[in-house]
Amino acid sequence: MTPAIELRGVTKRFLTPSGGVYTALHDLNMSVEPGEFCSVVGPTGCGKSTTLALISGLEPASEGEVDVFGKPVAGIADGIGYVFQSDAVFPWKTVLGNVAAGPRYHGASNRDASERARDWIARVGLAGFEDRYPYQLSGGMRKRVALAQSLINSPRILLMDEPFSALDVQTRTLMENELLSLWSASSASVVFVTHDLEEAISLSDRVFVITAGPGTVKSTYKVDLPRPRNVAEIRFEPRFVAIYEEIWKDLRDEVLVSYERQKRGAA
Amino acid sequence: MSVRSAARLNRVSAPTQPADRSGSDLAAARQKQAGRRRLNVLGGRVLVAVVVLGGWELGSRIGVIDKFFWSQPSEIASTLWRWFTEGTDLGPLWEQVLVTMEETVGGFLVGSVLGVIFGVVLGRNRLLADVLGPYIKGANAIPRVVVGALFAVSLGLDIRAKIATAAVLVFFVVFFNAFQGVREVDRNLIANARILGADNRRLTTEIIIPSALSWIAASLHTSFGLALVGAVVGELFGATEGIGELIYLSKNLFDTAGVFAGMALLAATALVAEALITALEDRLIRWRPPVATEVRI
Ligand SMILES: Nc1ncnc2c1ncn2[C@@H]1O[C@H](COP(=O)(O)OP(=O)(O)O)[C@@H](O)[C@H]1O
Ligand SMILES: [Mg+2]
């Protein structure tokens, strides 16, 4: 079976404002199966967001190949959903306008798009908020809008960049469970970026650990916890704790490296 | 904007927060306080008018202020009354006001639309912006009211000359704001729209222009004021009607009361326009949080 996403020997370099070259990713290999939920963890600045940008086609790779469903990525392809790290809902559109944007861009009539948008707004628990502007919503509600905005296009691949990191713990657990139920009703492959190992394990089938920059996959872990899962409870199970300890040993070294570097950079 | 935005905010939060007893007490006290404040403000305003106008009137009566050069409020009022009841030397008063308004609004619309178009196109096209940049900056450096003279020659006494003058003044303000607005569009929003499937046209109409509009909306007050300046200057350079022409005529007759009366008309017109602009601005940026600390004069 062709993997949903495959990165082979991918290197990404950026030109820095001072004219130098910064290598964000180096020789990264990763593959995600159709319908698989994968998480990417690693210290800040290791290239997690960059990896998503490469898969989405927003950024080209400097070296190596990025394939989506067996085809090389060249520009933004259809069938990809992307929940950005920072708020990216349109502030001048209402909740309804934001969620209806995708179908409209794909040629649906306004009525059709609104109808589908209402359905998705209800599914993410925002029924009754259709006419509000983003500034009138809480951070969690804005994330729900972003989620509905992406999912309404029925993406085959959903990229999520630390979507819940700005939320309080309760809201976050709620959203994680909702994400799992929405995902299981779809057949999408998910690449979920987070710096929170607990979140990564409780959501995923597999976890990729990325090294401190330049990023490359250090190791991959299978999470063999049964589904459906309840994110609030799963973290107390012995198997979860065992997996956590195993991955954390690996991740800790990278976090330390990154931390030392930052300290030196700041000094 | 502040009052209407506050109303908006209430509409949103009202159904979710049933006010309890202490809450309604607090609201009543707050309302009482606001009422008293409004009264104070109004009283203060009347006081300022009485002191300034009364002082002026008194000064000119006892001869401290030269009535020939500085006129006096009672004379200005009687001039206004005469214009109002008997019409001006140029015809009925409302016609003069209407003509100036037409020129102002016309210039405002033409200048804004052109400003937005140029701003968006140049903001989207790096090469074009680099090529035209110095020329636009140079043109902007010229005291622009002088183009009124040019238009007076080329377009004559026609209303188009005034609209063109007003439009030129408005254009640059709107252009620079639109340009900046396009340049400052959040990269994330563009990325999001592209991922969601927006093509270039959609990107322009749904992301770039709304983002630029919030910048432009901020400049509406300034640009409408400039449109009025353009219309009046255009009339000074040659016209057959309008408030500017009325002022020009009075000046030639050494009728300072007429000049002041014209100014009062302009001020009244500007105030009405100001209210309209505020309403327009409110519509354009309804999606923005109301600014609680906003002070509007
Ligand atoms: N457009 C860019 N230009 C220059 N450097 C960049 C750019 N985008 C990211 N980087 C750098 O690449 C590294 C990885 O960034 P990123 O992928 O955002 O990390 P994270 O893992 O925190 O998401 C960082 O050091 C960042 O400074
Ligand atoms: Mg990131």
Side-chain angles (χ1 to χ4, degrees):
Chain A
M1 192 164 47
T2 38
I5 301 166
E6 191 166 23
L7 293 93
R8 284 187 307 271
V10 168
T11 295
K12 177 68 185 175
R13 300 187 196 92
F14 287 111
L15 284 176
T16 56
S18 53
V21 174
Y22 181 84
T23 308
L25 296 175
H26 179 73
D27 193 23
L28 180 121
N29 294 288
M30 162 189 293
S31 114
V32 177
E33 298 307 315
E36 196 181 19
F37 198 123
C38 288
S39 283
V40 176
V41 294
T44 327
C46 71
K48 303 184 295 291
S49 299
T50 305
T51 308
L52 294 191
L54 293 178
I55 299 170
S56 69
L58 281 170
E59 290 275 354
S62 311
E63 261 172 53
E65 286 126 60
V66 183
D67 288 358
V68 167
F69 289 106
K71 289 203 193 78
V73 171
I76 291 161
D78 241 12
I80 292 196
Y82 199 148
V83 178
F84 289 83
Q85 183 165 9
S86 52
D87 249 341
V89 295
F90 308 123
W92 43 79
K93 285 185 190 292
T94 59
V95 170
L96 186 68
N98 264 291
V99 179
R104 281 183 43 248
Y105 296 162
H106 284 96
S109 71
N110 279 343
R111 246 192 64 208
D112 191 30
S114 297
E115 206 170 302
R116 283 173 57 198
R118 276 178 209 287
D119 177 42
W120 270 102
I121 290 167
R123 273 199 241 181
V124 297
L126 285 179
F129 292 90
E130 286 85 355
D131 295 330
R132 294 221 192 169
Y133 286 96
Y135 84 87
Q136 297 167 318
L137 304 176
S138 69
M141 288 158 107
R142 279 203 290 273
K143 280 297 170 198
R144 286 166 200 263
V145 175
L147 202 57
Q149 194 178 43
S150 294
L151 289 176
I152 196 172
N153 279 344
S154 348
R156 291 199 292 169
I157 290 174
L158 181 60
L159 308 172
M160 304 185 78
D161 197 348
E162 307 197 19
F164 308 142
S165 57
L167 305 181
D168 61 276
V169 182
Q170 287 85 354
T171 315
R172 187 171 173 165
T173 311
L174 265 172
M175 298 273 308
E176 286 165 0
N177 275 331
E178 278 171 35
L179 173 64
L180 281 185
S181 78
L182 289 168
W183 165 71
S184 62
S186 77
S187 57
S189 311
V190 179
V191 181
F192 190 98
V193 164
T194 175
H195 56 245
D196 180 349
L197 185 52
E198 259 189 35
E199 184 176 46
I201 299 171
S202 47
L203 294 174
S204 314
D205 299 319
R206 267 195 305 159
V207 176
F208 296 99
V209 177
I210 310 281
T211 58
T216 189
V217 175
K218 186 181 189 191
S219 42
T220 310
Y221 294 89
K222 229 179 158 54
V223 179
D224 48 5
L225 294 164
R227 292 187 190 270
R229 300 177 189 168
N230 182 344
V231 175
E233 287 158 15
I234 199 169
R235 43 197 80 177
F236 304 114
E237 293 195 11
R239 181 72 195 127
F240 181 98
V241 177
I243 295 174
Y244 185 94
E245 275 173 4
E246 198 187 344
I247 304 181
W248 173 240
K249 264 188 230 134
D250 220 359
L251 180 59
R252 189 187 47 198
D253 297 338
E254 299 309 319
V255 173
L256 282 177
V257 170
S258 161
Y259 179 67
E260 284 301 327
R261 265 190 223 158
Q262 273 174 20
K263 242 184 12 191
R264 242 181 303 137
Chain B
M1 133 152 198
S2 358
V3 173
R4 283 197 39 181
S5 323
R8 229 164 44 219
L9 204 64
N10 282 339
R11 213 185 306 141
V12 166
S13 52
T16 50
Q17 286 179 349
D20 55 34
R21 188 80 198 99
S22 60
S24 65
D25 280 355
L26 198 69
R30 181 74 50 82
Q31 214 158 40
K32 216 163 136 192
Q33 203 183 349
R36 206 175 311 134
R37 208 184 95 83
R38 250 196 312 270
L39 219 68
N40 284 342
V41 169
L42 200 68
R45 283 176 184 167
V46 171
L47 190 71
V48 169
V50 166
V51 167
V52 171
L53 294 179
W56 185 0
E57 182 75 36
L58 196 71
S60 59
R61 291 215 173 190
I62 59 178
V64 183
I65 296 170
D66 191 333
K67 207 173 92 176
F68 180 76
F69 293 119
W70 301 109
S71 189
Q72 65 189 36
S74 58
E75 233 173 90
I76 297 166
S78 77
T79 303
L80 273 175
W81 181 248
R82 182 163 48 78
W83 284 355
F84 193 64
T85 50
E86 299 162 27
T88 68
D89 298 343
L90 299 171
L93 180 64
W94 62 268
E95 245 174 39
Q96 314 312 313
V97 175
L98 209 66
V99 164
T100 301
M101 265 327 259
E102 248 173 78
E103 295 160 354
T104 305
V105 171
F108 176 73
L109 290 180
V110 172
S112 307
V113 169
L114 288 179
V116 170
I117 291 174
F118 273 71
V120 169
V121 168
L122 262 64
R124 294 280 276 154
N125 190 330
R126 191 82 202 218
L127 180 69
L128 211 58
D130 286 344
V131 170
L132 295 180
Y135 295 105
I136 290 175
K137 284 206 192 94
N140 186 39
I142 303 170
R144 270 161 277 127
V145 286
V146 300
V147 298
L150 202 65
F151 292 132
V153 174
S154 55
L155 299 172
L157 299 180
D158 204 68
I159 186 170
R160 282 178 305 167
K162 289 84 183 175
I163 290 182
T165 310
V168 168
L169 294 193
V170 170
F171 172 81
F172 284 94
V173 175
V174 174
F175 167 79
F176 282 113
N177 274 283
F179 183 76
Q180 197 63 19
V182 170
R183 281 293 169 90
E184 309 256 320
V185 178
D186 188 343
R187 299 275 125 209
N188 261 314
L189 296 184
I190 294 188
N192 192 18
R194 286 176 63 203
I195 293 277
L196 290 174
D199 52 19
N200 258 326
R201 188 179 59 83
R202 279 284 169 73
L203 218 53
T204 304
T205 56
E206 303 221 355
I207 311 300
I208 312 270
I209 290 182
S211 167
L213 267 186
S214 67
W215 279 72
I216 296 161
S219 69
L220 281 181
H221 289 271
T222 322
S223 45
F224 200 90
L226 282 174
L228 194 59
V229 170
V232 171
V233 167
E235 287 173 7
L236 294 182
F237 277 120
T240 50
E241 14 173 35
I243 303 177
E245 178 62 14
L246 214 52
I247 292 175
Y248 183 74
L249 214 66
S250 306
K251 175 223 124 192
N252 282 352
L253 300 171
F254 296 104
D255 173 14
T256 44
V259 174
F260 276 112
M263 283 163 62
L265 279 177
L266 281 179
T269 314
L271 279 179
V272 172
E274 180 78 13
L276 294 177
I277 290 291
T278 303
L280 177 66
E281 188 184 23
D282 230 19
R283 259 210 67 69
L284 278 181
I285 53 173
R286 199 172 29 179
W287 52 270
R288 274 213 297 214
V291 185
T293 53
E294 187 177 34
V295 175
R296 178 155 293 161
I297 287 186

